Amino acid sequence: MKKKIKKWIHKDSAAAWIFLAPSGAGFALFYLIPFAMGVFYSFMDRTIDGQFVGLDNYRELLASNSFRKASSNTFYFSAVCVPLLLALSLGLAMLLNKNIYLRKWLRTAYVLPLVVPVASIILIWQMLFDWNGSLNAWLSGFGIERVDWMKTDAARNVIIVVYVWKNIGYNVILFLAGLQQIPKDYYETAQIEGAGRLRQFGSITLVYLTSTMFFVVIMSIINSFKVFRETYLIAGDYPHDSIYMMQHYMNNMFTSLNIQKLTAAATLMVICILLIVRGLFALERRYRQFME
């Protein structure tokens, strides 16, 4: 019997590896190998016939004012957007989980940003936040001075709004799926025992949404580091200082063919993301142990 089970396991393992091989080869060819080459180039003085220079590229990178500005803006953006997106998406999911008026239409409205091409949507945002755009026209109608949204510190608020609008639908779907898995009997029992809504939220909702929330936070952090596309389409290669992100810096390094600084910046960004994710894993593990 044991031999048959082992034979069945080995047979399934071989089939699984065969099905995974094309995806694994594609991942290695387009992601893993280029990243390894990028890390290698970050320790060289040039890509062709280069010499090993150790951490010199990283020292120059950390001494660069442009890199420090880009990294600080990126981390500030993530620190503001991720909690804001988490709170809004969870609140909307809890609202849409109830029997409210036009619930199906509202669900569709929050999902639409996921299927509409970003480039076409950015045109609408440009018309909205341009100096002669719709928003300034409305402000002028109320006697408020026009704001040059994309050439002042207000540009940061514009990018935050665009990021939240673009990503909130995906998080709402995930939270809705998690909320619908919570048995309603738990809430009914809590109400009978006299627990208020806040106590139910903390002791039932948050506990059963731990895994979902953990995944949402990780994806939101990763997406916050990828906000370059929206910023680039709205503000161009060299935007206002407040929205000059890490990917702006790397894009400019690529344009000038400064591959060493580009690869060093990409390596540092990956290391930072890995450290953040590792910290979140440790925090989630401790929270689970505390709840148990």
Side-chain angles (χ1 to χ4, degrees), residues 234-252:
I234 292 178
D237 292 335
Y238 295 92
H240 188 264
D241 285 352
S242 62
I243 55 173
Y244 185 76
M245 303 293 184
M246 278 290 294
Q247 287 192 335
H248 281 97
Y249 178 82
M250 290 189 285
N251 183 66
N252 293 336

Side-chain angles (χ1 to χ4, degrees), residues 4-292:
K4 290 183 178 180
I5 293 175
K6 288 182 179 179
K7 185 178 180 181
W8 179 75
I9 291 173
H10 288 305
K11 183 179 179 181
D12 279 4
S13 298
W17 281 111
I18 291 173
F19 282 110
L20 287 173
S23 297
F27 177 77
L29 182 63
F30 295 106
Y31 292 95
L32 192 59
I33 295 175
F35 176 73
M37 292 176 64
V39 175
F40 174 75
Y41 288 142
S42 69
F43 295 102
M44 309 296 288
D45 60 349
R46 56 183 179 271
T47 55
I48 301 175
D49 297 329
Q51 296 181 350
F52 182 77
V53 294
L55 298 175
D56 288 351
N57 292 324
Y58 291 91
R59 294 191 188 97
E60 292 181 10
L61 188 70
L62 294 175
S64 171
N65 290 328
S66 298
F67 175 78
R68 290 203 296 266
K69 177 174 64 177
S71 57
S72 62
N73 285 340
T74 302
F75 282 111
Y76 175 85
F77 180 82
S78 299
V80 172
C81 286
V82 173
L84 179 63
L85 182 62
L86 184 69
L88 289 176
S89 56
L90 179 57
L92 286 172
M94 294 178 65
L95 182 65
L96 295 176
N97 196 42
K98 299 178 180 179
N99 292 322
I100 60 172
Y101 184 64
L102 296 177
R103 182 175 64 171
K104 292 183 179 180
W105 290 99
L106 289 173
R107 288 180 177 180
T108 304
Y110 287 116
V111 174
L112 279 178
L114 299 175
V115 297
V116 179
V118 175
S120 59
I121 292 300
I122 291 302
L123 294 175
I124 299 175
W125 288 103
Q126 286 177 334
M127 290 187 291
L128 184 63
F129 289 105
D130 189 73
W131 173 257
N132 294 315
S134 302
L135 186 56
N136 277 330
W138 295 335
L139 292 176
S140 299
F142 289 101
I144 303 174
E145 293 184 0
R146 292 173 178 263
V147 178
D148 197 350
W149 295 98
M150 301 312 301
K151 294 182 180 179
T152 61
D153 289 337
R156 178 178 288 165
N157 299 327
V158 173
I159 301 302
I160 290 174
V161 170
V162 174
Y163 168 81
V164 171
W165 175 84
K166 179 64 180 174
N167 293 279
I168 196 169
Y170 180 68
N171 291 350
V172 167
I173 293 173
L174 294 175
F175 278 129
L176 271 174
L179 287 169
Q180 290 173 359
Q181 296 299 318
I182 303 175
K184 294 183 179 180
D185 296 343
Y186 293 167
Y187 292 104
E188 294 174 358
T189 304
Q191 289 177 354
I192 293 173
E193 293 180 353
R197 291 186 178 180
L198 187 61
R199 181 65 182 275
Q200 293 177 33
F201 176 76
S203 300
I204 300 175
T205 306
L206 289 183
V207 172
Y208 283 90
L209 285 180
T210 300
S211 300
T212 304
M213 193 173 299
F214 176 69
F215 179 76
V216 167
V217 170
I218 290 179
M219 294 304 300
S220 298
I221 291 174
I222 293 174
N223 288 332
S224 69
F225 278 83
K226 294 163 55 180
V227 76
F228 165 77
R229 180 176 55 178
E230 292 83 355
T231 309
Y232 179 80
L233 290 173
I234 292 178
D237 292 335
Y238 295 92
H240 188 264
D241 285 352
S242 62
I243 55 173
Y244 185 76
M245 303 293 184
M246 278 290 294
Q247 287 192 335
H248 281 97
Y249 178 82
M250 290 189 285
N251 183 66
N252 293 336
M253 291 301 102
F254 177 78
T255 303
S256 61
L257 296 180
N258 195 336
I259 305 301
Q260 285 67 46
K261 285 187 178 180
L262 166 63
T263 53
T267 303
L268 286 179
M269 188 172 74
V270 170
I271 291 173
C272 289
I273 293 175
L274 289 176
L275 290 175
I276 293 171
V277 172
R278 185 176 178 83
L280 289 173
F281 269 109
L283 184 64
E284 194 250 355
R285 187 167 54 251
R286 287 189 178 184
Y287 180 76
R288 285 185 176 277
Q289 291 175 353
F290 173 76
M291 295 307 299
E292 290 176 358

